Amino acid sequence: MGTDAMTTDTTAPTAPAGPAGIDLGALEAEAARIRAEAERQLAAVTDLSALDAVRNELLSKKGLVSGLVKMIGTLDAAARPHAGKVINTLRDGVEALYTARRDTLSAAALDASLKAAAVDISMPGRRTLPGRPHPIRQTQAELVSIFSRLGYTFREYRDVETEFHNFDSLQQPDWHPARDMHDTYYVSPAAGAAYPLDQGQYKFNLLRTHTTAFELQAMAARGGQGTNPLREVTTGRCYRRDAVDARHSAVFHQFEGLAITEDASFAELKWVLLQASKQLFGPRTQIRLRPSYFPFTTPSAEVDCTCPSCHGKGCRTCSQTGWLEILGCGMTRPEIVELGGYDSTKFRGFAFGMGVERIAMLVWDLDDIRMLYENDVAFLSQF
Ligand SMILES: [Zn+2]
């Protein structure tokens, strides 16, 4: 449209100018038309980028107003000053229209972007909760730390074990009644070639039912021909097909220790466990050992410690007995010491194991094991 107006109006008056009044009138009419056109177009624009395009069409060197300037050359010299004024007025007017429209649209755009980025200062902020180790992790770390001060190294072992490491090497062949206590998750048939056949047919991989499964591996890793003394602890998940209740879970954690030295004795075992109990439950703690049975130790004992809540007087935590059962232990059977590559006439061993959940529940006086697994942040944030 702009181009039409420009070409007609700049090429038509090439004929000799008529009376000045007539041409001046045509120019004024054209100026008024452009002004109206500018008003219409600017009003129709709704965003800033389109506004610039319209401005170019009106005011650039090739725009409508500049087209009008070229008409001046066709006018009488006397008419030109007036024509100049008309065009200047037009240009100033269009410029002012443009500026006003630009200000309106800018304000609207600013308004919209503020609304889009609106901040509701009444909303509660987002809090970043600091992480911390789970109480079971804390208990494991505490136990590892206590036993490292007593001279024990720490290593983790795999959750999926061979039947050999979990049972057979620990003197529980598959006819052994002690296996009944471990309701086991079997995973897959084991590759029999992994172990010498004279150590039995190791038919399955399984989820370890106790961390005691580490014993033979710890001895084997201890270098060569069984001449290096060994004091090692481990901890990790164990699995049994237990129904979940306040005291049982199908997945639980054990902490386990093994010492193989030339002078390991039941007296040393008791001393180690007493020191550990004192560090865990407080310096007034005492322990007592009761005869017990485990397939992999002889003699074997259950260990009780004085109740940390009542120091032996009797309370709800200890069912009024003053004592709490905390772990099992015993002297490692010589067959296992031999299987681990040591000469059982020179080396003796002892072992001990405990439930991490049980220790955690005693340390923090919890009465339901399930609280440790429910991931209730309100509960966990207390530790
Ligand atoms: Zn008590």
Side-chain angles (χ1 to χ4, degrees), residues 191-233:
Y195 303 99
L197 287 177
D198 63 4
Q199 287 181 350
Q201 302 290 327
Y202 313 117
K203 298 159 292 274
F204 287 100
N205 291 315
L206 46 77
L207 294 175
R208 67 178 169 196
T209 60
H210 52 183
T211 42
T212 319
F214 92 114
E215 286 197 353
L216 213 68
Q217 301 173 80
M219 284 187 269
R222 202 52 193 178
Q225 306 307 307
T227 53
N228 299 317
L230 159 73
R231 286 191 182 84
E232 186 171 308
V233 290

Side-chain angles (χ1 to χ4, degrees), residues 99-296:
T99 306
R101 188 64 186 151
R102 188 196 59 199
D103 291 349
T104 306
L105 291 178
S106 296
L110 181 64
D111 222 38
S113 78
L114 283 178
K115 264 182 196 151
V119 174
D120 179 356
I121 56 166
S122 68
M123 260 175 76
R126 284 193 201 122
R127 270 207 304 164
T128 305
L129 295 171
R132 70 184 85 193
H134 190 277
I136 286 177
R137 278 313 242 185
Q138 289 185 43
T139 307
Q140 288 176 308
E142 176 69 10
L143 286 167
V144 169
S145 159
I146 287 171
F147 279 90
S148 74
R149 291 197 290 273
L150 289 166
Y152 285 75
T153 55
F154 166 67
R155 256 179 78 184
E156 285 185 299
Y157 291 84
R158 57 197 178 182
D159 289 19
V160 175
E161 265 307 344
T162 60
E163 207 174 352
F164 174 68
H165 282 138
N166 197 80
F167 288 127
D168 299 73
S169 72
L170 300 171
Q171 310 302 299
Q172 298 168 74
D174 50 13
W175 49 265
H176 200 288
R179 281 209 189 185
D180 296 345
M181 294 190 300
H182 296 212
D183 223 341
T184 308
Y185 290 109
Y186 288 92
V187 176
S188 60
Y195 303 99
L197 287 177
D198 63 4
Q199 287 181 350
Q201 302 290 327
Y202 313 117
K203 298 159 292 274
F204 287 100
N205 291 315
L206 46 77
L207 294 175
R208 67 178 169 196
T209 60
H210 52 183
T211 42
T212 319
F214 92 114
E215 286 197 353
L216 213 68
Q217 301 173 80
M219 284 187 269
R222 202 52 193 178
Q225 306 307 307
T227 53
N228 299 317
L230 159 73
R231 286 191 182 84
E232 186 171 308
V233 290
T234 191
T235 183
R237 286 192 190 89
C238 301
Y239 308 81
R240 293 185 199 179
R241 282 192 56 212
D242 266 330
V244 176
D245 63 23
R247 306 284 294 275
H248 296 92
S249 166
V251 181
F252 55 99
H253 299 73
Q254 283 188 340
F255 179 86
E256 191 104 3
L258 176 70
I260 307 282
T261 66
E262 291 187 59
D263 54 3
S265 67
F266 210 86
E268 185 190 345
L269 170 61
K270 185 176 178 183
W271 182 86
V272 164
L273 297 178
L274 177 62
Q275 301 314 312
S277 301
K278 284 178 183 290
Q279 292 190 34
L280 203 51
F281 297 114
R284 294 168 62 186
T285 307
Q286 292 299 316
I287 61 170
R288 69 179 185 191
L289 276 64
R290 289 179 287 106
S292 184
Y293 170 76
F294 302 106
F296 32 91

Side-chain angles (χ1 to χ4, degrees), residues 40-52:
R40 193 188 64 76
Q41 286 198 33
L42 287 171
V45 167
T46 54
D47 69 86
L48 285 166
S49 54
L51 184 70
D52 279 344

